[in-house]
Amino acid sequence: MKKTIINGLIIALSTSMLASCGGGSNTSSQTIAFADGEACAAAWVSTTVYATAGTKVSRSGRNYTNAFWTQNQDPLTNSGGAGSGQPWVPGFTCGTTPTPTPTPTPTPTPTPTPTPTPTPTPTPTPTPTPTGTYGATVGTTSVQFFVNNAAWADVHYTVNGGTQNNLRMTVSGTNNTYTLSGLKSGDVVRYFFTIAQGTGAIDTAWVQFTVGSGTPTPTPTPTPTPAPTPTPTPTPTPTPAGWILGWSDEFNGTTLDTTKWSYEVNGTGGGNNELQYYTSRPENVSVSGGNLIITARKETYTGPDGTRNYTSGRINTLGKASWTYGRMESRIKVPLGQGIWPAFWMLGSNLNSVGWPKCGEIDNMEHINNALVNVGTIHWADVNGNHVQYGNPSGNLDYSQYHIYAVEWDNASIRWYVDGNLYNTANILNNINNTGAFQNPFFLIYNMAVGGAYPGNPDASTVFPQQLLVDYVRVYHK
């Protein structure tokens, strides 16, 4: 998911698209702006910030208009210069308004989805307590951590306030142990456990002790991981007019349905310098309380791709289900936090043969950090194989609530909705702007990235763990 992001709005044009607008040599470097009706005498000045929407310049014999606000990027190459703003839109005639690319296809007003009847907020479910015994046996130079009656357990510990270590304990039957050696009298050890329970896991409170001082005592402020509150069963969402339900996952079980989904396990950074290691552990991907739960955690984790300081989850339907056209709809509760990047999206099923971006990408819903909006975007390759993208943000949303995100896709256009409100349309008719990738099958993906080029990295304000909750996903066809 390569991004060109400006204040939450995504619009980018490739160099080749600009180059296709004509030829000629560079003109003078004088006047920087003029009003509609005046002669096209203004020229691009590389050291000038063009500060008003609608500014028009000539560059190498071609005319460009500043799309929205301050910008001093070279319109021919879309590079260089400081400042912020949108790319230059090519192809205006003096006295007229430029048309952005791609041209949206007008669509009929959608039939509004009836508002579900509100249901009372249930009483929060208390955080469960591990059923077995757990703790630490402290010696003079070592400590043995133990968790009994659990299928697996992890221990997380620090010594004298140093780096937190996160390790899977050695299991024998249902008893789990780990021995920490090399301690000395006066060392301060803090620890907690992640303990398997049912199909998920829970975290215990932090405990602290000093080697040589006797029995460990709990720290005054325990920090257990809260169990997600089960989602109240909403009034069934009616099938949108004109659509037929063809495939769905309501996430009403206790484990991920692997006949529909595959786990992605890697620590390669997702092509965006992301910080997480995606795992298939229940600590990162689980199904409980009527939700798919993807959990991002701050922990040191080592796998075949190396060591990462965060873990999370990513699942997809590649090889199990794919679609060309349809309505892809999901009810989702999105977490907030600097460096947190949840997404519900799709990639072309020919990804492994043609690569990205030639396979195409449809971002049904992306959200970053503490933004008040989500973004709907498409990515593809132009005729020269260069990455191109087009997208727009939704209106402001209350992210303490679930929202219904949907994409309606046919051979002419792709349309984005949130809670039944249309907020973005992309024209893909007749391979306009080389958008033929969107006439092929695509598969679904859910993930939550941590950090990377798009959102930036977590900071001191970011709280972990973070959870992306998915009530359902439904795919309709005509």
Side-chain angles (χ1 to χ4, degrees):
M1 294 180 283
K2 307 293 184 185
K3 307 293 174 187
T4 301
I5 303 302
I6 301 159
N7 293 345
L9 187 61
I10 307 179
I11 299 179
L13 301 172
S14 72
T15 299
S16 61
M17 290 176 70
L18 293 175
S20 67
C21 296
S25 59
N26 193 13
T27 59
S28 61
S29 55
Q30 313 176 50
T31 309
I32 64 169
F34 51 88
D36 287 350
E38 293 182 357
C40 297
W44 166 250
V45 183
S46 63
T47 59
T48 300
V49 174
Y50 295 86
T52 58
T55 296
K56 301 177 175 65
V57 301
S58 292
R59 176 73 164 99
S60 295
R62 293 185 292 281
N63 302 319
Y64 297 89
T65 299
N66 182 284
F68 290 96
W69 53 77
T70 303
Q71 159 102 348
N72 70 339
Q73 286 183 305
D74 188 334
L76 185 61
T77 64
N78 241 351
S79 64
S84 63
Q86 295 298 322
W88 298 89
V89 178
F92 77 92
T93 301
C94 284
T96 64
T97 301
T99 301
T101 302
T103 303
T105 302
T107 56
T109 302
T111 302
T113 301
T115 302
T117 302
T119 54
T121 302
T123 303
T125 303
T127 302
T129 302
T131 55
T133 56
Y134 57 91
T137 302
V138 183
T140 56
T141 59
S142 66
V143 57
Q144 184 180 66
F145 301 106
F146 63 88
V147 175
N148 298 326
N149 300 319
W152 57 265
D154 291 345
V155 61
H156 315 270
Y157 70 88
T158 65
V159 179
N160 297 326
T163 301
Q164 179 175 312
N165 298 278
N166 307 280
L167 299 165
R168 179 59 53 91
M169 301 174 73
T170 301
V171 62
S172 176
T174 59
N175 296 323
N176 302 263
T177 58
Y178 176 77
T179 300
L180 172 62
S181 303
L183 300 172
K184 61 183 181 300
S185 181
D187 282 346
V188 177
V189 178
R190 296 184 76 235
Y191 72 93
F192 73 93
F193 298 110
T194 300
I195 302 176
Q197 182 156 307
T199 59
I202 62 172
D203 290 346
T204 66
W206 280 98
V207 174
Q208 177 174 309
F209 64 89
T210 301
V211 177
S213 64
T215 305
T217 56
T219 54
T221 306
T223 55
T225 300
T229 302
T231 307
T233 302
T235 301
T237 304
T239 299
W243 294 98
I244 300 168
L245 181 63
W247 184 94
S248 69
D249 196 335
E250 305 296 319
F251 301 113
N252 287 331
T254 57
T255 58
L256 187 69
D257 185 348
T258 53
T259 66
K260 297 178 177 179
W261 302 96
S262 298
Y263 296 96
E264 295 190 34
V265 178
N266 67 72
T268 55
N272 302 289
N273 298 316
E274 299 157 21
L275 304 180
Q276 77 288 327
Y277 207 112
Y278 288 127
T279 85
S280 59
R281 303 178 306 164
E283 297 99 310
N284 298 119
V285 181
S286 59
V287 175
S288 178
N291 283 298
L292 165 68
I293 305 168
I294 295 181
T295 304
R297 295 176 176 272
K298 184 177 183 180
E299 60 178 339
T300 301
Y301 183 90
T302 301
D305 293 325
T307 299
R308 295 277 180 167
N309 293 322
Y310 300 89
T311 61
S312 190
R314 175 164 161 163
I315 60 173
N316 69 64
T317 66
L318 179 61
K320 297 180 178 180
S322 61
W323 305 268
T324 305
Y325 316 139
R327 176 183 167 95
M328 291 71 184
E329 175 186 303
S330 188
R331 184 171 182 264
I332 303 172
K333 185 177 180 185
V334 170
L336 302 178
Q338 171 57 41
I340 303 302
W341 183 5
F344 164 46
W345 54 300
M346 299 186 286
L347 284 172
S349 297
N350 57 355
L351 169 67
N352 292 332
S353 59
V354 304
W356 186 95
K358 289 184 179 180
C359 66
E361 175 180 329
I362 304 172
D363 297 330
N364 306 25
M365 183 284 297
E366 274 188 295
H367 183 272
I368 60 167
N369 304 332
N370 296 295
L372 297 177
V373 300
N374 72 273
V375 178
T377 314
I378 54 173
H379 302 255
W380 72 102
D382 66 13
V383 292
N384 296 314
N386 297 316
H387 169 228
V388 191
Q389 63 188 55
Y390 173 79
N392 277 304
S394 67
N396 291 353
L397 299 173
D398 176 3
Y399 287 104
S400 68
Q401 305 298 316
Y402 285 80
H403 296 282
I404 296 175
Y405 303 91
V407 158
E408 292 185 357
W409 166 32
D410 56 36
N411 70 320
S413 67
I414 303 172
R415 304 171 296 280
W416 285 258
Y417 300 84
V418 59
D419 297 333
N421 298 308
L422 175 68
Y423 70 91
N424 188 28
T425 301
N427 180 9
I428 59 171
L429 183 63
N430 296 328
N431 197 33
I432 185 172
N433 299 316
N434 203 52
T435 53
F438 301 107
Q439 312 298 338
N440 297 321
F442 277 61
F443 64 93
L444 289 174
I445 307 168
Y446 286 100
N447 75 293
M448 183 155 58
V450 179
Y454 184 15
N457 293 339
D459 59 21
S461 70
T462 310
V463 177
F464 287 93
Q466 293 274 3
Q467 291 188 328
L468 172 67
L469 305 181
V470 181
D471 180 22
Y472 67 77
V473 56
R474 297 167 186 166
V475 179
Y476 299 89
H477 61 86
K478 290 288 189 180

